[in-house]
Amino acid sequence: MGWLEIALTTAGLLIGVVSVATPFAADRRARRSKRVGFRKQMDIAIGHNGPAGEGDPRFGLFNDLPGMRDATLVLLRIENDGSRHVEASDYIDANHGLTAEFPGRSIQALDVTLTDEHASLWSHFEDEPGLVVAAPGTLRIPKVPLKPGAYYKILVLLTGGSEGDKVTVTGDIKDGKLHENHSLTPDEKPPVFSSRARWTTVTLGVALIAAATLPLLTPSPLPDDCESGRLRLTGSTAFAPVMRELAQKYRDHCGGEPRITVAARGSRTGVRELALSGEESGSTAGRIAFSDGPRPASYTRLSESRIAVSLFTLVAHDGVRLTNLSVADARRVYRGEIRNWSQLGGPDLPVVLVSRTSGSGTRSALTARVLAGADEPPASSDDCVNRTARTGARVLRCELDSTEQVLDTVAHTPGALGYSELRAASPPDAPKGLHRLTLDGRTPDPDRLDAGGYPYREIEYAYTYGRPPADSLASSFLSYAVDNGTGKGVVATHGHLPCGTPVGLRVCGKDD
């Protein structure tokens, strides 16, 4: 055996020891992650469940209620079985924390059980929204923060179905997971490995890995949901912060292997460049264009994915002092009928419209959702201060290339009115000197979109030229953005409603 073989064998033995230790370390590390566990502790029949003509052995209340013949009692236990706090904000869904479903059975009554140690959790069940029966067999559970080891139990009285029918609990935890766990010992503590078991595992592991030294020299494969290669993200400047963070999170998840760049130049510009490049080359597998709103109807070769519902807002210079505009007044302002803020009860300041260029999805959303399809008046200024073009426009109006430019200009221009995506116009990201305006008294709030009302919003689309192959980086990245818990968390953190959540699915489906 040469020195190279000896070195490889020695390295294999060392790697074997480390590899055997890794499961123990991984187990300890997993306990440090955010983990919410659930299990069904009881599922028993309390009704007669026999033929109607047979004798009924029940007494008292159950005997007096014939509707309870097929009644069952289910006891759910939900707990934090990790070692990190799970906060209310860690639940991805906008309106509730978890969903329990009892297929084939109908919920008749509920009760929550808490120990004295965890009595502080009562308020989360007593305050709105609390426990909500969303359908006969569907229970919405509120966003209950749980310290490590904290738990609560829900006793559910059901009719229909039978004892032992399937019970499911679903939900998404940011940077964590929801899983079904099991009571392993009477005191519900995880098992302790004996010293003999540890050493036996170490010995077998070292022997096996030493025999497989050579395969260990090959590079580790990527996770199953990762792909390598290059990808360019373009389009919406309003969605650019989300693109950049999604790209970084995906790279981190995939070991830094994919090369993803972000070049936001406006929704329509990005979509147009994608369509033209695809027509010239026949494929643009390495590019995704994000757009605030749908593509033009002529771009029939583009394939879409719905990522989120984006919220936008009107912003005004602090000197304007108004905090609300009716939709009707907003249309009058953009038609040039309102030339001075005093006409709406504001200060004696001329209206200055600070707008985006025609390729902007934020501008398209304003036109479609607020201005009823009417476009803004022609630009009459190059610097947003002096009238430099004779367009016949009644008010001074300028056009800028990005959301950041609009916000900075509104903040420094007395009488200015502009628009932006919600997160960029909100503290602490918004520049000083401007404030948001409500529309018809409605505030942009992603948690209330399911109820409708706030008009200035739009679906955020991701476009590819044709449907990308399932094993492509573009397809993998889109799945990460729509379906992965971390990806949905990034979208929600930036003030958007992910289409991959239960509420998001409903809003994205009807918000055409």
Side-chain angles (χ1 to χ4, degrees):
M1 181 181 291
W3 66 269
L4 180 59
E5 288 81 359
I6 294 175
L8 291 176
T9 301
T10 302
L13 291 172
L14 293 175
I15 293 172
V17 174
V18 173
S19 299
V20 170
T22 298
F24 298 93
D27 181 66
R28 293 179 63 85
R29 183 171 183 176
R31 297 173 189 273
R32 299 190 187 102
S33 65
K34 295 178 181 178
R35 292 158 51 94
V36 174
F38 69 91
R39 62 178 177 268
K40 183 172 64 173
Q41 287 194 310
M42 179 180 72
D43 189 350
I44 61 172
I46 61 172
H48 177 205
N49 288 305
E54 289 186 1
D56 192 343
R58 300 173 302 162
F59 296 96
L61 177 63
F62 293 140
N63 192 48
D64 294 336
L65 298 174
M68 302 289 287
R69 293 186 63 84
D70 58 356
T72 52
L73 278 176
V74 172
L75 181 64
L76 288 177
R77 175 185 172 116
I78 298 174
E79 61 193 328
N80 182 344
D81 56 4
S83 60
R84 292 182 61 190
H85 283 51
V86 175
E87 307 291 349
S89 58
D90 290 325
Y91 295 95
I92 298 298
D93 193 278
N95 295 318
H96 60 271
L98 306 174
T99 299
E101 294 186 278
F102 309 87
R105 292 191 267 187
S106 298
I107 300 170
Q108 303 299 329
L110 303 164
D111 192 19
V112 176
T113 301
L114 293 173
T115 63
D116 292 340
E117 180 184 0
H118 305 135
S120 61
L121 301 180
W122 273 119
S123 62
H124 300 283
F125 295 98
E126 294 173 339
D127 298 340
E128 292 292 334
L131 289 170
V132 176
V133 178
T138 301
L139 176 63
R140 306 294 189 199
I141 303 172
K143 301 180 178 183
V144 181
L146 295 172
K147 296 179 180 179
Y151 67 91
Y152 57 90
K153 297 182 181 181
I154 303 175
L155 183 65
V156 188
L157 174 62
L158 302 139
T159 57
S162 60
E163 171 184 336
D165 283 352
K166 184 177 180 181
V167 176
T168 63
V169 179
T170 57
D172 289 319
I173 309 295
K174 183 167 58 178
D175 295 327
K177 69 174 183 178
L178 171 71
H179 69 109
E180 185 173 5
N181 60 16
H182 303 278
S183 178
L184 300 175
T185 63
D187 60 359
E188 298 183 349
K189 293 182 179 179
V192 178
F193 293 100
S194 68
S195 176
R196 179 178 298 177
R198 289 178 184 272
W199 282 110
T200 300
T201 303
V202 169
T203 302
L204 292 174
V206 169
L208 289 172
I209 297 178
T213 300
L214 193 58
L216 290 175
L217 298 177
T218 59
S220 300
L222 292 174
D224 292 340
D225 58 347
C226 289
E227 299 292 342
S228 60
R230 295 171 178 258
L231 183 63
R232 178 182 174 87
L233 309 180
T234 185
S236 169
T237 62
F239 208 65
V242 182
M243 289 189 245
R244 283 190 280 268
E245 187 169 350
L246 281 174
Q248 185 58 54
K249 294 285 188 183
Y250 183 87
R251 282 193 294 262
D252 294 343
H253 174 66
C254 298
E257 176 68 21
R259 300 185 63 181
I260 305 175
T261 58
V262 178
R265 300 174 57 192
S267 296
R268 291 191 178 181
T269 300
V271 171
R272 182 174 60 252
E273 290 178 350
L274 175 69
L276 294 177
S277 298
E279 291 173 1
E280 292 174 359
S281 63
S283 172
T284 56
R287 180 182 295 185
I288 300 175
F290 288 82
S291 174
D292 308 331
R295 59 168 174 75
S298 59
Y299 295 150
T300 57
R301 296 295 303 276
L302 299 188
S303 178
E304 70 179 33
S305 298
R306 299 188 177 199
I307 304 297
V309 179
S310 294
L311 289 174
F312 305 93
T313 181
L314 295 179
V315 291
H317 184 271
D318 280 346
V320 173
R321 295 199 300 273
L322 297 177
T323 59
N324 176 69
L325 277 181
S326 68
V327 171
D329 284 340
R331 292 173 182 173
R332 293 172 63 202
V333 169
Y334 279 96
R335 286 198 300 263
E337 296 173 10
I338 304 297
R339 304 177 64 179
N340 192 292
W341 290 111
S342 62
Q343 295 175 253
L344 296 177
D348 184 15
L349 285 172
V351 173
V352 178
L353 298 180
V354 182
S355 304
R356 292 289 305 281
T357 54
S358 59
S360 163
T362 310
R363 173 176 168 176
S364 297
L366 178 77
T367 299
R369 301 284 185 169
V370 179
L371 305 184
D375 201 4
E376 299 181 52
S380 58
S381 174
D382 294 329
D383 59 6
C384 304
V385 176
N386 301 298
R387 188 179 292 271
T388 55
R390 295 184 177 277
T391 62
R394 298 179 181 180
V395 294
L396 189 145
R397 177 179 171 275
C398 59
E399 294 184 353
L400 300 174
D401 293 327
S402 69
T403 297
E404 292 78 7
Q405 291 175 352
V406 168
L407 293 174
D408 186 66
T409 301
V410 170
H412 292 89
T413 306
L417 176 69
Y419 43 80
S420 163
E421 63 96 9
L422 179 61
R423 174 71 179 268
S426 305
D429 297 322
K432 294 182 179 179
L434 60 77
H435 60 276
R436 292 170 13 198
L437 298 176
T438 58
L439 285 170
D440 285 336
R442 294 186 174 95
T443 302
D445 184 350
D447 292 337
R448 299 180 181 177
L449 281 186
D450 199 23
Y454 186 75
Y456 196 7
R457 70 194 201 192
E458 188 56 272
I459 294 178
E460 190 69 33
Y461 293 86
Y463 287 104
T464 55
Y465 192 82
R467 180 62 62 183
D471 60 351
S472 67
L473 177 55
S475 178
S476 175
F477 182 82
L478 288 174
S479 295
Y480 182 83
V482 175
D483 301 320
N484 183 275
T486 300
K488 289 185 284 189
V490 169
V491 174
T493 298
H494 285 267
H496 308 279
L497 176 63
C499 287
T501 62
V503 174
L505 286 172
R506 292 195 296 271
V507 178
C508 291
K510 70 182 182 182
D511 216 30
D512 293 316

